[in-house]
Amino acid sequence: MSLRSRVIDLYKNLYHMGKEYPGGSKWFHDRLKLAFSKNKEVQDSKQVEQLIARGEFVVKEIEALYSLRKYRAMKQRYYDKDEEVSIATQKFEDSVKKL
Amino acid sequence: MKILVGVKRVVDYAVKIRVKPDRSGVVTEGVQHSMNPFDEIALEEAVKLKEKKLATEVVAFSLGGPKSAEVLRTALAKGADKAVHVQVTDAEAGKLESFHVAKALQKIVEQEKFDAVFLGKQAIDDDSSQTAPILAGLLEWPQALYASKVEDAGAGHMKVTREIDGGLDTIKVKVPFVLSADLRLNEPRYATLPNIMKAKKKPLKNIPIKDLNVDITPQTETLEVTEPPVRQAGGFVDDVSALVAKLKEKGFVKA
C-alpha cells in the first residue's frame, strides 16, 4: 500500500475512533485534523513512516483507554467490593492470625 | 467445536438512562446503543478459542428488533464468522424475557448442531442473568456460569474457573455446554474500521421469530419504572459543637 493511502487510512481510523471519545468527538476531531495538517508538508518517506508509527501508537492508546473506561464502569456498577480493599483486608486478617 | 454466542443490543453503558414520563420504561429513542459489554467478553472468549484452534466456527446470535443487526455487524467485525438475527418488531423486542431468548437459542442450537453457547453473564439493561441457566436447562446441557477462565481439559471436557462470592470455583464440564462470561474473563478487542468494512461481506442470516415456532407472549407485566432516589445534598456546620448538636438532634449520638 502506498504511503499516501496508509496516511488516509490512519486518518479515517482515528476519525472513526474519535466518534466515541469521552470528552466529546469535536475536541478529538479538531485535534486530529490539526495534527495531520501540521505535518502536511512532510515529503521524506522515512519521516512519514515515523509519523504513521506515531499515529498507530495513538490508536493503540485510545483502544486501551476505551477498554479501561468500560471495564471500570462495569466494575463500579456490578462489583461493589473494591479489589484493592479486599486484598488489603485479606492481608490484615492474615497478619492478625499470626499475632 | 462450533460456538454460538448470544449478543444483545442495549443502551450504551456510557449513556445516562432516563425514565419515560409515563413510567412505562426507559427512553430508548434517539439514544446511543451498543453491544452488551458482558456479551462482548463472551464473544471475545469464543474468538480466542478459535484462534487457539480449539473452536472451528463462531456464530453470533441476536434476538431483537431490526436494529439488532448493528450489534451483529459489530460481532462480525470482532471476529465472528457468521451471524443469525432472529427478528421481532421493536414493540415485541421491548417485552422479551430471558425465557424467550433461551427458547430461540435452543431452536438455533438444535437446528445447526452447536457444541457450546457463550453468553454474557447478564445484560446491562434488564440485569436478569437468567438466559444462560434457562438455556442449559432447556438443552439439558451442563452450565459454567460467571466464567473467569476457560481451558481445554481434554477428552471432550473444558475446565472453567468461576467467580463466586468470596472466591473461585473450578469445574470440569462436558462438551456441549453453556457458558456465561464474567467481567475478568478477558479484555475484548476493539472493532477497528478495516474490520468493520470486512465484516460487511460476512453472512448475516435473518430468521423471523415465527419460523422458529417460539411463543414470545410476555409472562411478566411491567407495572412501573422509576428513577432511583436522588441523593440529598450535604451541608456544612460552623464548628464542633454545632456538629454534635446536629448529631444529637438526628439521634446518631446519645445525649
Side-chain angles (χ1 to χ4, degrees), chain B residues 83 103 138 228:
Chain B
K103 275 274 189 192
L138 290 172

Side-chain angles (χ1 to χ4, degrees), chain B residues 28-249:
Chain B
T28 54
E29 291 83 18
V31 168
Q32 160 100 21
H33 281 67
S34 58
M35 192 194 297
N36 174 34
F38 291 108
D39 294 345
E40 279 184 332
I41 298 170
L43 173 67
E44 177 68 25
E45 196 61 22
V47 173
K48 278 214 171 101
L49 287 177
K50 199 192 157 201
E51 285 166 353
K52 282 190 223 158
K53 307 268 183 251
L54 286 170
T56 50
E57 190 177 40
V58 177
V59 180
F61 162 97
S62 194
L63 170 58
K67 285 185 178 153
S68 289
E70 291 166 15
V71 297
L72 286 172
R73 285 285 167 212
T74 312
L76 293 168
K78 283 169 181 272
D81 300 296
K82 289 197 288 187
V84 181
H85 181 189
V86 177
Q87 294 170 311
V88 293
T89 63
D90 279 326
E92 287 167 338
K95 290 195 163 66
L96 286 174
E97 293 160 21
S98 297
F99 180 64
H100 307 132
V101 184
K103 275 274 189 192
L105 278 162
Q106 181 198 12
K107 296 276 180 186
I108 299 289
V109 168
E110 285 169 355
Q111 276 178 11
E112 299 194 26
K113 302 272 174 278
F114 284 93
D115 304 297
V117 181
F118 285 15
L119 303 163
K121 68 160 186 150
Q122 67 190 106
I124 62 166
D125 53 358
D126 60 14
D127 290 326
S128 88
S129 321
Q130 290 181 78
T131 310
I134 294 174
L135 177 65
L138 290 172
L139 290 166
E140 295 192 36
W141 283 6
Q143 61 183 19
L145 307 178
Y146 310 113
S148 65
K149 199 172 180 186
V150 179
E151 293 154 289
D152 186 22
H157 285 77
M158 298 297 274
K159 193 172 123 189
V160 179
T161 307
R162 305 175 53 233
E163 300 233 352
I164 54 170
D165 279 349
L168 297 170
D169 177 27
T170 308
I171 57 167
K172 201 167 102 175
V173 286
K174 194 169 188 283
V175 180
F177 69 110
V178 177
L179 177 135
S180 78
D182 209 316
L183 185 62
R184 277 174 273 260
L185 182 58
N186 57 47
E187 285 173 27
R189 66 196 68 187
Y190 190 79
T192 57
L193 192 59
N195 285 341
I196 292 171
M197 292 304 168
K198 277 180 220 154
K200 288 185 178 164
K201 290 191 190 105
K202 290 185 178 176
L204 194 160
K205 194 161 85 179
N206 292 314
I207 305 174
I209 187 86
K210 64 175 195 315
D211 289 10
L212 290 179
N213 284 324
V214 173
D215 179 16
I216 52 163
T217 317
Q219 294 174 311
T220 35
E221 185 192 348
T222 303
L223 298 178
E224 192 184 53
V225 176
T226 49
E227 303 254 8
V230 183
R231 192 175 168 271
Q232 297 278 312
F236 286 97
V237 285
D238 295 326
D239 50 25
V240 175
S241 54
L243 174 66
V244 173
K246 282 254 185 205
L247 287 173
K248 276 181 184 162
E249 185 192 305

Side-chain angles (χ1 to χ4, degrees), chain A residues 9 12-13 16-18 20 59 63 66-67 69-71 73-75 77-79 81 83, chain B residues 13-14 37-38 40 121-124 127 163 182-184 187-188 190-194 196:
Chain A
D9 274 4
K12 279 185 183 167
N13 202 357
H16 171 74
M17 297 186 92
E20 51 172 310
V59 169
E63 273 180 28
Y66 288 178
S67 122
R69 181 171 172 244
K70 197 180 277 181
Y71 178 83
M74 288 304 111
K75 215 175 119 182
R77 251 174 248 181
Y78 293 110
Y79 301 82
K81 249 195 280 166
E83 216 163 284
Chain B
Y13 78 98
F38 291 108
E40 279 184 332
K121 68 160 186 150
Q122 67 190 106
I124 62 166
D127 290 326
E163 300 233 352
D182 209 316
L183 185 62
R184 277 174 273 260
E187 285 173 27
Y190 190 79
T192 57
L193 192 59
I196 292 171

Side-chain angles (χ1 to χ4, degrees), chain A residues 24-94:
Chain A
S25 58
K26 183 160 184 340
W27 183 92
F28 189 94
H29 288 150
D30 288 351
R31 291 295 166 102
L32 176 64
K33 200 167 179 188
L34 203 71
F36 272 71
S37 52
K38 205 172 76 190
N39 293 312
K40 67 177 178 188
E41 308 293 344
V42 179
Q43 294 293 330
D44 179 38
S45 62
K46 234 183 215 158
Q47 223 179 329
V48 176
E49 287 279 3
Q50 266 174 13
L51 288 166
I52 291 175
R54 205 166 88 191
E56 274 158 6
F57 174 75
V58 174
V59 169
K60 287 274 166 279
E61 291 287 292
I62 304 166
E63 273 180 28
L65 166 71
Y66 288 178
S67 122
L68 180 70
R69 181 171 172 244
K70 197 180 277 181
Y71 178 83
R72 292 284 287 272
M74 288 304 111
K75 215 175 119 182
Q76 216 174 25
R77 251 174 248 181
Y78 293 110
Y79 301 82
D80 47 6
K81 249 195 280 166
D82 193 313
E83 216 163 284
E84 280 156 36
V85 173
S86 51
I87 291 168
T89 314
Q90 192 62 50
K91 236 182 180 172
F92 168 76
E93 285 172 6
D94 288 347

